[in-house]
Amino acid sequence: MRLIFHGPPGVGKGTQAGRISLEENINHISSGDLLRVAVDAKTEIGLKAKKYIENGLLVPDELIVNIVADKINSAECEKGFILDGFPRNLSQARVLDSTLEKAGKKIDRVFSFTASEEVIITRISGRRICKSCGAHYHEIFSSPLKENTCDKCGSELFQRKDDYPETIKVRLKVYKEQTETLIDYYNKKGILVEINCNGDKKEIQENILAGLQSMSEGKRDME
Ligand code: ATP
Ligand code: MG
């Protein structure tokens, strides 16, 4: 099973992709996480990508497409994958198409996650992450037991620089200008499923489950 989780920043793609990848035993490929690892490790790509990420802009395609293509072609993605945060524009979508075509593979479904701007801003601005183990918290929805301290390892929590209010606005603008158009691109291919993410985690999970079910029913119909 090969899926794309598409949607604006903060809509909850990453949280849901993490969960479904475990349940379905497929790989979770988050382009944002791959880039943040490169930034922390101060690799050549990481050093170049840092300023774009912190300012809420897309990194240039050449910094990300090869990393993602290598992942897709790796043994760990043999059983399938969820792409989270990639593709982010039309040229990335075309690179993805040709990478998959060369390998004789294709995307089964694109889940398009939607939520109101108000919900998105509340989700992103409350997000806090553990400095040491990377666990995620939210000031309102899943606050730690002790303020600013990770329940799992006791380390301090931090806020991503690109989660600051001014930068969230830039990210939403970039999404509208460059990424939203992919909804149309995948809709025309007939593989788009819309997932409403305005509700709580449980409702969102149910909506995804319905999407996955419609997928297996679709396959049965074709047999
Ligand atoms: P969230 O993690 O809050 O859902 P997001 O999806 O915008 O939001 P990430 O996917 O983690 O966040 O991406 C963070 C940043 O990494 C982006 O703003 C961008 O700078 C860079 N980035 C991630 N994926 C890509 C990509 N496919 N192309 C270009 N830049 C990317
Ligand atoms: Mg994300």
Side-chain angles (χ1 to χ4, degrees):
M1 182 159 59
R2 296 178 203 95
L3 305 173
I4 293 175
F5 280 12
H6 174 275
V11 75
K13 306 178 296 281
T15 308
Q16 298 300 335
R19 199 179 57 81
I20 303 230
S21 65
L22 287 176
E23 278 174 22
E24 302 285 336
N25 193 23
I26 52 178
N27 215 269
H28 174 194
I29 309 175
S30 158
S31 51
D33 287 348
L34 291 170
L35 285 167
R36 280 184 287 276
V37 167
V39 170
D40 289 344
K42 297 194 167 64
T43 64
E44 204 183 324
I45 286 180
L47 290 173
K48 285 184 188 156
K50 190 170 189 273
K51 62 176 186 300
Y52 294 97
I53 298 174
E54 287 183 352
N55 289 312
L57 303 171
L58 295 187
V59 308
D61 290 348
E62 66 268 21
L63 298 185
I64 185 69
V65 293
N66 291 333
I67 306 185
V68 173
D70 287 349
K71 272 270 171 207
I72 285 173
N73 287 324
S74 71
E76 58 192 284
C77 286
E78 197 50 45
K79 281 193 188 149
F81 54 78
I82 301 176
L83 269 175
D84 159 19
F86 189 96
R88 277 288 228 281
N89 58 32
L90 270 176
S91 76
Q92 292 182 9
R94 292 194 184 110
V95 172
L96 176 64
D97 283 349
S98 73
T99 304
L100 289 169
E101 204 181 307
K102 276 183 210 146
K105 293 173 179 166
K106 65 175 181 49
I107 296 292
D108 297 300
R109 277 287 186 284
V110 177
F111 286 179
S112 169
F113 290 72
T114 58
S116 73
E117 200 157 305
E118 199 191 330
V119 166
I120 287 173
I121 291 172
T122 310
R123 280 198 190 135
I124 304 187
S125 52
R127 175 162 57 189
R128 299 291 180 274
I129 303 164
C130 173
K131 273 188 177 151
S132 119
C133 75
H136 277 56
Y137 296 88
H138 193 282
E139 277 197 322
I140 304 167
F141 308 119
S142 52
S143 56
L145 297 169
K146 190 173 158 218
E147 203 187 329
N148 215 30
T149 309
C150 179
D151 292 346
K152 293 184 181 139
C153 73
S155 301
E156 202 186 340
L157 307 184
F158 78 103
Q159 184 174 29
R160 263 167 53 179
K161 277 203 180 127
D162 58 341
D163 284 350
Y164 294 169
E166 322 77 72
T167 319
I168 297 175
K169 285 196 197 114
V170 178
R171 286 162 67 197
L172 286 169
K173 187 162 174 275
V174 168
Y175 171 78
K176 285 220 166 72
E177 286 173 359
Q178 301 187 49
T179 312
E180 200 172 36
T181 179
L182 294 178
I183 294 179
D184 202 35
Y185 182 80
Y186 289 114
N187 199 16
K188 283 190 181 129
K189 289 181 188 275
I191 55 172
L192 194 88
V193 182
E194 198 177 299
I195 309 283
N196 183 325
C197 293
N198 284 306
D200 60 19
K201 262 190 203 162
K202 190 161 166 282
E203 276 175 66
I204 300 171
Q205 284 170 13
E206 281 164 6
N207 293 344
I208 297 176
L209 207 66
L212 286 170
Q213 254 155 13
S214 77
M215 204 170 125
S216 52
E217 278 156 19
K219 265 193 193 142
R220 244 179 279 136
D221 288 349
M222 276 159 57
E223 280 165 9

